[in-house]
Amino acid sequence: MMEVKASMAGSVWKVTVKEGEQVQEDQDIVILESMKMEIPIGAEDEGTVKEIKVAEGDFVNEGDVIAIIE
Amino acid sequence: MINKVLIANRGEIAARVIRTCKKMGIQTVAVYSEADQKAPFVALADESYLLGPPRVNESYLNTDKILQIAKRADVDAIHPGYGFLSENAVFAQKCQDEGLIFIGPAGEIMQKMGSKIAARKTMQQAGVPVVPGTEGGVASVEEALQIAKGIGYPIMLKASAGGGGIGMQVVQSDAELAKAFASNSKRAENFFGDGAMFMEKKLEHARHVEIQILADNDGNAVHLFERECSIQRRNQKVVEEAPSPFISEKTRKKMGETAVKAAKAIGYTNAGTIEFLVDENENFYFLEMNTRIQVEHAITEEITGLDIVEEQLNIANGKALTIDQDTLTIKGHAIEVRIYAEDPVTFYPSPGHITTMQAPTGDHIRNELAVTSDYDVTPFYDPMIGKLIVTGETRQEAISGLKTALESYHIDGIKTNIPMLKAVIDHDQFKAGNTTTAFVQEYYLPMIKTN
């Protein structure tokens, strides 16, 4: 099991995958937006998206878990 | 006559405009979002009005609401600051339709310079050299790849409507170009509502040098010399200085004259800046024109003794320039550093609560601040929370004063780029004036990797 964490504080601009979806290494899971900067948060390894813990518009802090991949 | 001004902006530039208005006996109206209720600029204005929720579309870009407030507050003019609506030709026209003075150039001039593709053409026609690149927009990845064969890598891919580094990327190969084209075009579409892209040859080891101009409604125009803004991260400026430590008196004169010629050729009025890239042989090429006041205007004020906001207000009031080129001189040296709420290593934003904020003071120190102690820096806007400007008789004196000032700068609660600023200005290459647009990649990033 792998936790995908926010690398900066900001709001979730886009969730680019769905629960149950198969993802590849480095594939974008969400795109965070903060202070006019967009940062894609990707999967560190391939797997299946077990849970997405955020929705578009949510605010996350650095280190918060965004998704879980199995 | 302008008796009351609404400032359609926030942060340090709103406070800066209010300061000059007060000096000139002009009443001020601030507008603010819910996220900025406690911001210093709100309290500084004579009147302040809530615009709406934090998101820019519902607040600082909500033109209908801003114009409603302008009417309600009975202002004569709107100062747009920089960013937000400052280069929005439609808004400038709307102000005019409502009988309000927009403090800036006419909408049609703004439109010409707002599109980087159109601006390149206009400048070429005015005899200003441009960086080799595409003449028009690039429609597809296939076309981009074809054009790349002619220009040669590295190439700077740019959004025509871009600003603040958004939609801009250096690409080194076909593979990088193919990947970057679609994503940057999409990004530009999201941010600016225009996904048009163009391509320019990336000049290696170039410097970003810009010329501040002022032009009145009677056809008079002057330049206020140059600013060197080469030190950038994520294509956004971090350290700026005036004059440039690199260009010769001969090039300074030629660049200034070219900028004035370009401004006159397009019928420009108010304050504006023509940005150039300068290569190792002091050849300069038009990059873009900013039709507004800029973040770094303060260093020009410090070396010329002028108040650029006052000049903007006078021009908007229909007054002729009272300065001429022959009487303008450079006095001393000024350096500005932008204080960003961000991680100094990754450059990622760092919003949060500032518990303590102490800015240095002194004879040669100027602070333009957007925040105070016990203040929330929100994720909704640009990460710049202040500017520190230090002057000296010489560049060495300014660097030394800046070093001391940065050492006594104190911000607790969030990460800031102050450690980066200290490292940059203390670097031998910076001290030697070797400040190209590659400085951060060539010197700063390797240094932090080693440490």
Side-chain angles (χ1 to χ4, degrees):
Chain A
M1 200 147 74
M2 178 173 58
E3 289 181 332
V4 178
K5 292 180 178 176
S7 52
M8 69 173 187
S11 55
V12 178
W13 183 58
K14 206 163 247 179
V15 178
T16 56
V17 294
K18 291 187 176 73
E19 285 180 359
E21 194 176 323
Q22 194 68 25
V23 292
Q24 304 303 312
E25 185 184 345
D26 287 336
Q27 185 177 334
D28 293 351
I29 302 293
V30 302
I31 296 171
L32 291 181
E33 184 191 13
S34 184
M35 294 176 153
K36 288 168 72 183
M37 185 180 183
E38 285 172 36
I39 291 283
I41 309 294
E44 280 178 21
D45 208 345
E46 60 177 22
T48 306
V49 179
K50 191 186 172 207
E51 190 183 354
I52 297 169
K53 289 180 165 286
V54 294
E56 286 177 10
D58 283 358
F59 185 81
V60 293
N61 284 305
E62 186 180 339
D64 283 358
V65 178
I66 285 173
I68 292 170
I69 292 176
E70 248 178 2
Chain B
M1 269 302 279
I2 298 174
N3 293 306
K4 196 173 185 183
V5 172
L6 180 146
I7 298 108
N9 214 299
R10 62 180 298 280
E12 63 84 24
I13 191 63
R16 165 74 192 87
V17 174
I18 292 168
R19 198 171 70 227
T20 290
C21 286
K22 280 184 189 290
K23 186 177 84 177
M24 296 173 75
I26 294 170
Q27 293 282 299
T28 54
V29 174
V31 287
Y32 61 95
S33 73
E34 282 165 9
D36 280 338
Q37 301 209 22
K38 290 182 182 172
F41 77 91
V42 179
L44 273 178
D46 296 306
E47 293 170 41
S48 52
Y49 295 82
L50 179 66
L51 273 172
R55 296 217 166 265
V56 291
N57 286 333
E58 296 174 87
S59 54
Y60 298 103
L61 293 181
N62 186 343
T63 54
D64 290 343
K65 190 78 189 281
I66 290 169
L67 288 169
Q68 271 172 26
I69 294 170
K71 283 279 158 196
R72 202 168 123 203
D74 197 24
V75 303
D76 316 296
I78 293 188
H79 194 304
Y82 51 71
F84 296 129
L85 298 168
S86 62
E87 293 179 289
N88 184 322
V90 175
F91 180 65
Q93 186 58 48
K94 272 189 185 176
C95 288
Q96 203 181 318
D97 295 345
E98 295 289 335
L100 297 164
I101 297 169
F102 178 85
I103 301 170
E108 69 244 33
I109 301 287
M110 213 184 278
Q111 214 155 19
K112 264 189 197 170
M113 294 294 113
S115 155
K116 290 182 184 177
I117 295 169
R120 266 175 70 92
K121 272 188 195 156
T122 308
M123 287 295 159
Q124 268 179 308
Q125 283 160 5
V128 181
V130 300
V131 181
T134 51
E135 293 306 314
V138 184
S140 63
V141 176
E142 292 72 31
E143 193 186 337
L145 291 168
Q146 197 57 39
I147 293 165
K149 284 192 176 73
I151 302 177
Y153 292 103
I155 283 170
M156 185 65 103
L157 184 67
K158 288 182 180 180
S160 180
I166 294 165
M168 190 189 282
Q169 194 174 335
V170 181
V171 287
Q172 304 281 357
S173 64
D174 281 0
E176 274 184 33
L177 176 60
K179 200 176 165 196
F181 189 89
S183 62
N184 280 284
S185 178
K186 203 173 167 193
R187 219 160 162 235
E189 179 71 46
N190 287 333
F191 271 86
F192 312 110
D194 178 1
M197 302 298 291
F198 74 107
M199 293 152 72
E200 277 178 357
K201 175 81 184 161
K202 165 85 171 97
L203 296 181
E204 304 261 48
H205 295 101
R207 289 161 188 266
H208 177 123
V209 181
E210 57 188 35
I211 304 282
Q212 173 75 58
I213 59 121
L214 291 173
D216 65 19
N217 297 287
D218 298 334
N220 304 306
V222 293
H223 69 84
L224 307 181
F225 311 105
E226 83 281 4
R227 294 187 284 260
E228 165 130 6
C229 313
S230 298
I231 298 185
Q232 305 180 359
R233 60 97 183 90
R234 295 201 279 116
N235 294 316
Q236 281 183 320
K237 298 159 188 169
V238 185
V239 181
E240 297 115 334
E241 60 183 307
S244 162
F246 173 69
I247 68 166
S248 63
E249 192 54 48
K250 191 179 158 197
T251 305
R252 172 170 299 128
K253 192 166 182 284
K254 201 170 152 197
M255 283 181 85
E257 285 169 358
T258 304
V260 168
K261 190 174 82 177
K264 284 186 173 174
I266 59 170
Y268 193 84
T269 57
N270 216 282
T273 300
I274 304 193
E275 298 190 336
F276 295 98
L277 279 180
V278 182
D279 71 15
E280 288 156 309
N281 301 314
E282 291 191 71
N283 297 308
F284 57 89
Y285 304 92
F286 171 75
L287 198 56
E288 65 179 70
M289 181 169 191
N290 292 141
T291 56
R292 52 170 167 82
I293 196 159
Q294 284 182 293
V295 175
E296 58 272 28
H297 73 279
I299 50 174
T300 298
E301 294 185 325
E302 292 300 323
I303 62 155
T304 58
L306 291 173
D307 179 334
I308 294 175
V309 176
E310 188 176 349
E311 298 295 334
Q312 284 193 295
L313 286 157
N314 283 335
I315 294 167
N317 245 331
K319 291 184 184 170
L321 287 174
T322 55
I323 40 177
D324 61 58
Q325 201 64 59
D326 296 339
T327 53
L328 282 162
T329 53
I330 297 174
K331 293 179 196 78
H333 198 94
I335 309 177
E336 171 180 290
V337 290
R338 300 186 186 192
I339 314 289
Y340 286 124
E342 70 179 20
D343 186 302
V345 176
T346 61
F347 307 142
Y348 281 1
S350 176
H353 184 73
I354 295 179
T355 50
T356 312
M357 158 96 202
Q358 281 170 351
T361 54
D363 281 350
H364 302 287
I365 294 172
R366 170 171 166 181
N367 284 294
E368 301 282 347
L369 299 173
V371 301
T372 56
S373 291
D374 189 22
Y375 186 84
D376 284 320
V377 179
T378 71
F380 303 107
Y381 315 112
D382 186 270
M384 199 183 76
I385 53 172
K387 306 184 308 203
L388 168 66
I389 303 109
V390 177
T391 52
E393 291 285 320
T394 61
R395 184 170 188 265
Q396 287 77 3
E397 208 178 292
I399 293 172
S400 161
L402 181 57
K403 191 179 174 194
T404 309
L406 276 173
E407 272 159 10
S408 57
Y409 217 111
H410 198 75
I411 300 179
D412 284 338
I414 59 166
K415 290 180 196 169
T416 74
N417 66 333
I418 289 176
M420 177 209 186
L421 297 170
K422 284 181 185 168
V424 168
I425 65 149
D426 209 27
H427 199 285
D428 287 343
Q429 294 292 337
F430 180 80
K431 287 177 185 162
N434 294 330
T435 50
T436 73
T437 51
F439 187 95
V440 170
Q441 283 72 25
E442 282 188 356
Y443 304 118
Y444 176 68
L445 293 177
M447 189 166 63
I448 53 172
K449 269 185 195 153
T450 313
N451 296 337

mmCIF file of all heavy atoms in Angstrom, chain B residues 174-205:
data_model
loop_
_atom_site.group_PDB
_atom_site.id
_atom_site.type_symbol
_atom_site.label_atom_id
_atom_site.label_comp_id
_atom_site.label_asym_id
_atom_site.label_seq_id
_atom_site.Cartn_x
_atom_site.Cartn_y
_atom_site.Cartn_z
ATOM 1 N N ASP B 174 12.985 17.563 -29.366
ATOM 2 C CA ASP B 174 11.660 17.305 -29.939
ATOM 3 C C ASP B 174 10.733 16.680 -28.894
ATOM 4 O O ASP B 174 9.567 17.045 -28.786
ATOM 5 C CB ASP B 174 11.783 16.349 -31.137
ATOM 6 C CG ASP B 174 12.249 17.073 -32.398
ATOM 7 O OD1 ASP B 174 12.474 18.300 -32.344
ATOM 8 O OD2 ASP B 174 12.393 16.398 -33.443
ATOM 9 N N ALA B 175 11.265 15.723 -28.139
ATOM 10 C CA ALA B 175 10.435 15.018 -27.150
ATOM 11 C C ALA B 175 9.910 16.000 -26.100
ATOM 12 O O ALA B 175 8.730 15.969 -25.739
ATOM 13 C CB ALA B 175 11.250 13.915 -26.489
ATOM 14 N N GLU B 176 10.792 16.879 -25.622
ATOM 15 C CA GLU B 176 10.374 17.864 -24.611
ATOM 16 C C GLU B 176 9.361 18.840 -25.190
ATOM 17 O O GLU B 176 8.401 19.216 -24.527
ATOM 18 C CB GLU B 176 11.591 18.656 -24.120
ATOM 19 C CG GLU B 176 12.338 17.971 -22.983
ATOM 20 C CD GLU B 176 13.474 18.837 -22.452
ATOM 21 O OE1 GLU B 176 13.357 20.084 -22.443
ATOM 22 O OE2 GLU B 176 14.476 18.251 -22.049
ATOM 23 N N LEU B 177 9.591 19.242 -26.435
ATOM 24 C CA LEU B 177 8.675 20.194 -27.068
ATOM 25 C C LEU B 177 7.282 19.586 -27.214
ATOM 26 O O LEU B 177 6.275 20.229 -26.901
ATOM 27 C CB LEU B 177 9.227 20.618 -28.438
ATOM 28 C CG LEU B 177 8.337 21.536 -29.277
ATOM 29 C CD1 LEU B 177 8.044 22.848 -28.558
ATOM 30 C CD2 LEU B 177 8.980 21.834 -30.629
ATOM 31 N N ALA B 178 7.235 18.341 -27.670
ATOM 32 C CA ALA B 178 5.939 17.677 -27.882
ATOM 33 C C ALA B 178 5.160 17.607 -26.569
ATOM 34 O O ALA B 178 3.954 17.857 -26.530
ATOM 35 C CB ALA B 178 6.167 16.278 -28.445
ATOM 36 N N LYS B 179 5.866 17.294 -25.482
ATOM 37 C CA LYS B 179 5.213 17.156 -24.176
ATOM 38 C C LYS B 179 4.775 18.531 -23.650
ATOM 39 O O LYS B 179 3.672 18.700 -23.138
ATOM 40 C CB LYS B 179 6.203 16.495 -23.195
ATOM 41 C CG LYS B 179 5.515 15.877 -21.997
ATOM 42 C CD LYS B 179 6.522 15.170 -21.120
ATOM 43 C CE LYS B 179 5.900 14.872 -19.769
ATOM 44 N NZ LYS B 179 6.885 14.531 -18.767
ATOM 45 N N ALA B 180 5.678 19.511 -23.801
ATOM 46 C CA ALA B 180 5.425 20.841 -23.215
ATOM 47 C C ALA B 180 4.353 21.622 -23.974
ATOM 48 O O ALA B 180 3.611 22.403 -23.376
ATOM 49 C CB ALA B 180 6.715 21.648 -23.199
ATOM 50 N N PHE B 181 4.262 21.406 -25.269
ATOM 51 C CA PHE B 181 3.347 22.215 -26.083
ATOM 52 C C PHE B 181 1.895 22.104 -25.588
ATOM 53 O O PHE B 181 1.253 23.103 -25.282
ATOM 54 C CB PHE B 181 3.438 21.805 -27.561
ATOM 55 C CG PHE B 181 2.682 22.734 -28.473
ATOM 56 C CD1 PHE B 181 3.306 23.852 -29.007
ATOM 57 C CD2 PHE B 181 1.345 22.529 -28.772
ATOM 58 C CE1 PHE B 181 2.618 24.731 -29.831
ATOM 59 C CE2 PHE B 181 0.639 23.395 -29.583
ATOM 60 C CZ PHE B 181 1.281 24.502 -30.112
ATOM 61 N N ALA B 182 1.424 20.863 -25.487
ATOM 62 C CA ALA B 182 0.019 20.658 -25.101
ATOM 63 C C ALA B 182 -0.251 21.156 -23.685
ATOM 64 O O ALA B 182 -1.245 21.853 -23.441
ATOM 65 C CB ALA B 182 -0.318 19.178 -25.215
ATOM 66 N N SER B 183 0.654 20.828 -22.754
ATOM 67 C CA SER B 183 0.388 21.196 -21.359
ATOM 68 C C SER B 183 0.435 22.712 -21.152
ATOM 69 O O SER B 183 -0.397 23.271 -20.442
ATOM 70 C CB SER B 183 1.347 20.481 -20.412
ATOM 71 O OG SER B 183 2.656 20.859 -20.693
ATOM 72 N N ASN B 184 1.372 23.391 -21.797
ATOM 73 C CA ASN B 184 1.465 24.847 -21.625
ATOM 74 C C ASN B 184 0.317 25.574 -22.306
ATOM 75 O O ASN B 184 -0.175 26.583 -21.811
ATOM 76 C CB ASN B 184 2.813 25.368 -22.133
ATOM 77 C CG ASN B 184 3.901 25.139 -21.121
ATOM 78 O OD1 ASN B 184 4.001 25.842 -20.135
ATOM 79 N ND2 ASN B 184 4.692 24.106 -21.337
ATOM 80 N N SER B 185 -0.096 25.046 -23.459
ATOM 81 C CA SER B 185 -1.221 25.649 -24.170
ATOM 82 C C SER B 185 -2.487 25.542 -23.316
ATOM 83 O O SER B 185 -3.257 26.490 -23.183
ATOM 84 C CB SER B 185 -1.401 24.949 -25.513
ATOM 85 O OG SER B 185 -2.496 25.485 -26.182
ATOM 86 N N LYS B 186 -2.665 24.366 -22.703
ATOM 87 C CA LYS B 186 -3.839 24.128 -21.857
ATOM 88 C C LYS B 186 -3.812 25.053 -20.630
ATOM 89 O O LYS B 186 -4.819 25.615 -20.218
ATOM 90 C CB LYS B 186 -3.845 22.657 -21.419
ATOM 91 C CG LYS B 186 -5.220 22.165 -21.028
ATOM 92 C CD LYS B 186 -5.174 20.675 -20.779
ATOM 93 C CE LYS B 186 -6.444 20.242 -20.078
ATOM 94 N NZ LYS B 186 -6.350 18.911 -19.531
ATOM 95 N N ARG B 187 -2.627 25.190 -20.086
ATOM 96 C CA ARG B 187 -2.433 26.034 -18.904
ATOM 97 C C ARG B 187 -2.749 27.492 -19.228
ATOM 98 O O ARG B 187 -3.405 28.198 -18.467
ATOM 99 C CB ARG B 187 -0.974 25.900 -18.456
ATOM 100 C CG ARG B 187 -0.884 25.880 -16.986
ATOM 101 C CD ARG B 187 0.354 25.316 -16.430
ATOM 102 N NE ARG B 187 0.380 25.821 -15.059
ATOM 103 C CZ ARG B 187 1.374 26.491 -14.552
ATOM 104 N NH1 ARG B 187 2.431 26.735 -15.259
ATOM 105 N NH2 ARG B 187 1.300 26.927 -13.314
ATOM 106 N N ALA B 188 -2.256 27.946 -20.373
ATOM 107 C CA ALA B 188 -2.507 29.328 -20.801
ATOM 108 C C ALA B 188 -4.002 29.541 -21.025
ATOM 109 O O ALA B 188 -4.549 30.590 -20.666
ATOM 110 C CB ALA B 188 -1.726 29.627 -22.068
ATOM 111 N N GLU B 189 -4.638 28.535 -21.569
ATOM 112 C CA GLU B 189 -6.096 28.605 -21.799
ATOM 113 C C GLU B 189 -6.813 28.761 -20.447
ATOM 114 O O GLU B 189 -7.697 29.595 -20.286
ATOM 115 C CB GLU B 189 -6.545 27.320 -22.520
ATOM 116 C CG GLU B 189 -8.029 27.209 -22.807
ATOM 117 C CD GLU B 189 -8.499 28.155 -23.900
ATOM 118 O OE1 GLU B 189 -7.833 28.225 -24.931
ATOM 119 O OE2 GLU B 189 -9.543 28.832 -23.682
ATOM 120 N N ASN B 190 -6.378 27.973 -19.458
ATOM 121 C CA ASN B 190 -6.992 28.039 -18.122
ATOM 122 C C ASN B 190 -6.774 29.380 -17.453
ATOM 123 O O ASN B 190 -7.675 29.942 -16.834
ATOM 124 C CB ASN B 190 -6.410 26.956 -17.209
ATOM 125 C CG ASN B 190 -6.916 25.578 -17.563
ATOM 126 O OD1 ASN B 190 -8.005 25.446 -18.107
ATOM 127 N ND2 ASN B 190 -6.129 24.567 -17.284
ATOM 128 N N PHE B 191 -5.555 29.900 -17.544
ATOM 129 C CA PHE B 191 -5.223 31.129 -16.821
ATOM 130 C C PHE B 191 -5.645 32.398 -17.544
ATOM 131 O O PHE B 191 -6.071 33.354 -16.923
ATOM 132 C CB PHE B 191 -3.706 31.198 -16.549
ATOM 133 C CG PHE B 191 -3.318 30.547 -15.261
ATOM 134 C CD1 PHE B 191 -3.059 29.194 -15.215
ATOM 135 C CD2 PHE B 191 -3.231 31.276 -14.081
ATOM 136 C CE1 PHE B 191 -2.713 28.564 -14.025
ATOM 137 C CE2 PHE B 191 -2.887 30.663 -12.891
ATOM 138 C CZ PHE B 191 -2.627 29.309 -12.857
ATOM 139 N N PHE B 192 -5.471 32.393 -18.870
ATOM 140 C CA PHE B 192 -5.681 33.649 -19.602
ATOM 141 C C PHE B 192 -6.832 33.585 -20.598
ATOM 142 O O PHE B 192 -7.130 34.575 -21.270
ATOM 143 C CB PHE B 192 -4.391 34.043 -20.354
ATOM 144 C CG PHE B 192 -3.157 33.982 -19.507
ATOM 145 C CD1 PHE B 192 -2.193 33.010 -19.720
ATOM 146 C CD2 PHE B 192 -2.961 34.884 -18.473
ATOM 147 C CE1 PHE B 192 -1.055 32.933 -18.930
ATOM 148 C CE2 PHE B 192 -1.825 34.825 -17.682
ATOM 149 C CZ PHE B 192 -0.873 33.846 -17.910
ATOM 150 N N GLY B 193 -7.438 32.411 -20.742
ATOM 151 C CA GLY B 193 -8.528 32.259 -21.695
ATOM 152 C C GLY B 193 -8.028 32.274 -23.136
ATOM 153 O O GLY B 193 -8.802 32.461 -24.072
ATOM 154 N N ASP B 194 -6.726 32.080 -23.334
ATOM 155 C CA ASP B 194 -6.135 32.104 -24.668
ATOM 156 C C ASP B 194 -4.952 31.131 -24.681
ATOM 157 O O ASP B 194 -3.956 31.349 -23.997
ATOM 158 C CB ASP B 194 -5.654 33.540 -24.983
ATOM 159 C CG ASP B 194 -4.982 33.661 -26.342
ATOM 160 O OD1 ASP B 194 -4.900 32.650 -27.069
ATOM 161 O OD2 ASP B 194 -4.543 34.773 -26.675
ATOM 162 N N GLY B 195 -5.101 30.068 -25.438
ATOM 163 C CA GLY B 195 -4.067 29.026 -25.449
ATOM 164 C C GLY B 195 -3.039 29.186 -26.558
ATOM 165 O O GLY B 195 -2.208 28.296 -26.764
ATOM 166 N N ALA B 196 -3.060 30.342 -27.276
ATOM 167 C CA ALA B 196 -2.124 30.541 -28.394
ATOM 168 C C ALA B 196 -0.673 30.503 -27.917
ATOM 169 O O ALA B 196 -0.331 31.114 -26.903
ATOM 170 C CB ALA B 196 -2.403 31.864 -29.098
ATOM 171 N N MET B 197 0.156 29.764 -28.651
ATOM 172 C CA MET B 197 1.559 29.611 -28.275
ATOM 173 C C MET B 197 2.462 30.137 -29.387
ATOM 174 O O MET B 197 2.086 30.114 -30.556
ATOM 175 C CB MET B 197 1.897 28.124 -28.058
ATOM 176 C CG MET B 197 1.063 27.411 -27.015
ATOM 177 S SD MET B 197 1.238 28.080 -25.359
ATOM 178 C CE MET B 197 2.917 27.603 -24.960
ATOM 179 N N PHE B 198 3.657 30.585 -29.006
ATOM 180 C CA PHE B 198 4.662 30.897 -30.017
ATOM 181 C C PHE B 198 6.039 30.453 -29.517
ATOM 182 O O PHE B 198 6.176 30.022 -28.367
ATOM 183 C CB PHE B 198 4.622 32.373 -30.435
ATOM 184 C CG PHE B 198 5.170 33.343 -29.429
ATOM 185 C CD1 PHE B 198 6.395 33.965 -29.644
ATOM 186 C CD2 PHE B 198 4.465 33.648 -28.290
ATOM 187 C CE1 PHE B 198 6.900 34.873 -28.731
ATOM 188 C CE2 PHE B 198 4.960 34.555 -27.369
ATOM 189 C CZ PHE B 198 6.173 35.160 -27.587
ATOM 190 N N MET B 199 7.021 30.507 -30.394
ATOM 191 C CA MET B 199 8.339 29.976 -30.052
ATOM 192 C C MET B 199 9.432 30.992 -30.378
ATOM 193 O O MET B 199 9.363 31.672 -31.398
ATOM 194 C CB MET B 199 8.600 28.701 -30.869
ATOM 195 C CG MET B 199 7.687 27.545 -30.491
ATOM 196 S SD MET B 199 7.409 26.421 -31.864
ATOM 197 C CE MET B 199 9.001 25.628 -31.981
ATOM 198 N N GLU B 200 10.417 31.031 -29.481
ATOM 199 C CA GLU B 200 11.566 31.917 -29.709
ATOM 200 C C GLU B 200 12.847 31.133 -29.444
ATOM 201 O O GLU B 200 12.852 30.227 -28.601
ATOM 202 C CB GLU B 200 11.552 33.078 -28.703
ATOM 203 C CG GLU B 200 10.674 34.234 -29.071
ATOM 204 C CD GLU B 200 10.680 35.318 -27.993
ATOM 205 O OE1 GLU B 200 11.319 35.153 -26.933
ATOM 206 O OE2 GLU B 200 10.029 36.327 -28.220
ATOM 207 N N LYS B 201 13.912 31.520 -30.113
ATOM 208 C CA LYS B 201 15.213 30.939 -29.806
ATOM 209 C C LYS B 201 15.565 31.316 -28.372
ATOM 210 O O LYS B 201 15.400 32.474 -27.976
ATOM 211 C CB LYS B 201 16.261 31.525 -30.773
ATOM 212 C CG LYS B 201 17.676 31.099 -30.495
ATOM 213 C CD LYS B 201 17.959 29.740 -31.065
ATOM 214 C CE LYS B 201 19.366 29.266 -30.691
ATOM 215 N NZ LYS B 201 19.498 27.809 -30.848
ATOM 216 N N LYS B 202 16.007 30.348 -27.570
ATOM 217 C CA LYS B 202 16.419 30.657 -26.195
ATOM 218 C C LYS B 202 17.862 31.165 -26.242
ATOM 219 O O LYS B 202 18.758 30.438 -26.681
ATOM 220 C CB LYS B 202 16.312 29.396 -25.343
ATOM 221 C CG LYS B 202 17.024 29.463 -24.003
ATOM 222 C CD LYS B 202 16.163 30.090 -22.941
ATOM 223 C CE LYS B 202 16.763 29.964 -21.559
ATOM 224 N NZ LYS B 202 17.509 31.106 -21.097
ATOM 225 N N LEU B 203 18.030 32.402 -25.851
ATOM 226 C CA LEU B 203 19.384 32.957 -25.835
ATOM 227 C C LEU B 203 20.086 32.491 -24.566
ATOM 228 O O LEU B 203 19.603 32.716 -23.465
ATOM 229 C CB LEU B 203 19.347 34.488 -25.862
ATOM 230 C CG LEU B 203 18.752 35.163 -27.096
ATOM 231 C CD1 LEU B 203 18.823 36.680 -26.950
ATOM 232 C CD2 LEU B 203 19.482 34.731 -28.357
ATOM 233 N N GLU B 204 21.215 31.817 -24.738
ATOM 234 C CA GLU B 204 21.949 31.290 -23.585
ATOM 235 C C GLU B 204 22.769 32.421 -22.952
ATOM 236 O O GLU B 204 23.295 33.283 -23.653
ATOM 237 C CB GLU B 204 22.894 30.173 -24.036
ATOM 238 C CG GLU B 204 22.170 29.060 -24.779
ATOM 239 C CD GLU B 204 21.858 27.861 -23.930
ATOM 240 O OE1 GLU B 204 21.336 28.036 -22.809
ATOM 241 O OE2 GLU B 204 22.124 26.753 -24.386
ATOM 242 N N HIS B 205 22.863 32.390 -21.651
ATOM 243 C CA HIS B 205 23.632 33.382 -20.881
ATOM 244 C C HIS B 205 23.227 34.817 -21.196
ATOM 245 O O HIS B 205 24.057 35.712 -21.258
ATOM 246 C CB HIS B 205 25.142 33.178 -21.091
ATOM 247 C CG HIS B 205 25.580 31.865 -20.540
ATOM 248 N ND1 HIS B 205 25.793 30.770 -21.343
ATOM 249 C CD2 HIS B 205 25.782 31.463 -19.273
ATOM 250 C CE1 HIS B 205 26.121 29.737 -20.581
ATOM 251 N NE2 HIS B 205 26.121 30.134 -19.325
#
